[in-house]
Amino acid sequence: MTDGRRVGASLRRLRETAGMSSDELAARLGVGVDHLRAVERGVVTPSADFLAAATAVLAAHLRDAGVGGAS
């Protein structure tokens, strides 16, 4: 598996764990859902800014949901 596919698969796992749809995450990131899905499939390499924003959105969502013991 390439690095891009690993990153995309990890992003998808985190999104699914957070209980977010791809539409919801894309909207929160201000990107098109097709772009997000391409990142998750490893077709598009995300920028560092994209990954930082996605991580922040997903971490906040997981915290708010109390997933993983976060409070």
Side-chain angles (χ1 to χ4, degrees), residues 17-50:
T17 298
M20 293 181 77
S21 69
S22 53
D23 290 322
E24 182 180 2
L25 180 56
R28 289 187 184 207
L29 295 174
V31 300
V33 71
D34 289 338
H35 179 74
L36 174 61
R37 289 178 181 155
V39 170
E40 288 185 344
R41 288 191 319 271
V43 174
V44 172
T45 302
S47 68
D49 289 341
F50 177 93

Side-chain angles (χ1 to χ4, degrees), residues 62-64 66-71:
L62 288 166
R63 249 191 333 272
D64 291 347
V67 174
S71 54

